[in-house]
Amino acid sequence: MMAADYPNIDIAPFIDHSVLSPITTPEQVEQWCEEAHRFNFAAVCVHPCYVKQAVELLRNKNPHVCTVIGFPTGGTTSAVKLYEAQEAVENGATELDLVMNLGWLKAGKTEEVHQEIATICEEAGKPVKVILETNLLTDAEKKLAAELAMDAGAALLKTSTGWNGGATVADVRLLKQIVRERVGIKASGGIRTHNEALDLIMAGATRLGTSRGIDLLRQRDHP
């Protein structure tokens, strides 16, 4: 579709303004928080060590403070993930992006996958977006992962960390067919153009995870 074919969608309220590079600095976190507030983004997504800083910078402002749990591999123990989630909430995080243990999923350890997510959702008491890393899964595994996450209490399903490929329209459409209206969908990773963002929203994404939010808005204003 061409941009002119889309309804008039403001993508800013969909964006989780993410700053998750291994070399992220406090100065960058300050910049991202200021931008998230100025452009009316849904959230800023930071490493756990920067949650307190982001919470202070965004006090009495609209964007949520999101952080990542078990990032980027999902391979830490359930106890470590739970502690990380609880500490993040104690530090003021209002949303958590939790990486699913994909090794367990592929090994058929579905009970362990479900229990880990359910415990964190219950104990954290905040919306949890479960990262499925769809590029590493078959369609059957995507469906299984989505069903486990939803049954465990996930508020949203997130396509990717961005470390193993990014979101695709096909995957968002597949997740939309699975979830219908039960939970939200966060498309994350590799969103480089304003039209790509629109494509993902039209496919069913309710959030967009990107570090390029400002660039996407500039493309809207100067196509």
Side-chain angles (χ1 to χ4, degrees):
M1 293 177 68
M2 301 295 292
D5 297 326
Y6 287 109
N8 186 22
I9 297 174
D10 179 9
I11 69 169
F14 288 82
I15 290 175
D16 284 4
H17 197 35
S18 304
V19 56
L20 296 170
S21 163
I23 55 173
T24 297
T25 65
E27 291 75 20
Q28 287 175 303
V29 172
E30 183 174 0
Q31 175 188 339
W32 255 246
C33 288
E34 189 278 328
E35 291 171 347
H37 172 62
R38 174 156 46 104
F39 292 99
N40 193 36
F41 292 151
V44 64
C45 190
V46 299
H47 287 296
C49 65
Y50 290 126
V51 167
K52 282 186 176 180
Q53 180 190 1
V55 167
E56 184 59 34
L57 290 166
L58 290 171
R59 192 174 303 280
N60 299 320
K61 297 176 181 177
N62 288 329
H64 288 281
V65 174
C66 175
T67 194
V68 286
I69 306 299
F71 190 85
T73 69
T76 49
T77 66
S78 296
V80 168
K81 286 182 178 177
L82 177 60
Y83 179 83
E84 192 173 27
Q86 290 172 324
E87 183 183 45
V89 171
E90 288 171 4
N91 288 340
T94 54
E95 297 182 348
L96 306 175
D97 285 17
L98 168 67
V99 186
M100 178 180 284
N101 189 318
L102 298 182
W104 282 356
L105 182 79
K106 286 180 174 286
K109 300 179 71 171
T110 54
E111 184 175 339
E112 288 86 346
V113 172
H114 181 277
Q115 184 60 49
E116 178 176 276
I117 298 169
T119 300
I120 290 171
C121 288
E122 181 177 351
E123 295 295 328
K126 300 294 181 183
V128 174
K129 309 171 202 147
V130 176
I131 304 174
L132 308 182
E133 207 70 293
T134 50
N135 289 288
L136 302 181
L137 303 178
T138 66
D139 282 356
E141 289 169 339
K142 292 168 194 173
K143 185 176 188 302
L144 175 61
E147 295 288 356
L148 285 169
M150 286 190 293
D151 188 62
L156 292 95
L157 304 181
K158 179 176 172 181
T159 60
S160 325
T161 61
W163 290 51
N164 294 284
T168 67
V169 168
D171 277 341
V172 172
R173 284 179 179 153
L174 176 63
L175 291 177
K176 182 66 174 178
Q177 291 172 0
I178 295 166
V179 308
R180 301 188 184 276
E181 303 299 330
R182 287 179 285 176
V183 301
I185 298 169
K186 178 175 174 179
S188 184
I191 306 171
R192 292 180 173 83
T193 70
H194 186 257
N195 277 3
E196 287 174 358
L198 290 174
D199 286 339
L200 292 164
I201 291 170
M202 295 300 291
T206 56
R207 286 284 186 92
L208 303 173
T210 178
S211 61
R212 300 184 176 93
I214 307 300
D215 290 338
L216 301 183
L217 295 184
R218 285 174 179 157
Q219 291 174 30
R220 172 200 64 187
D221 297 333
H222 304 284

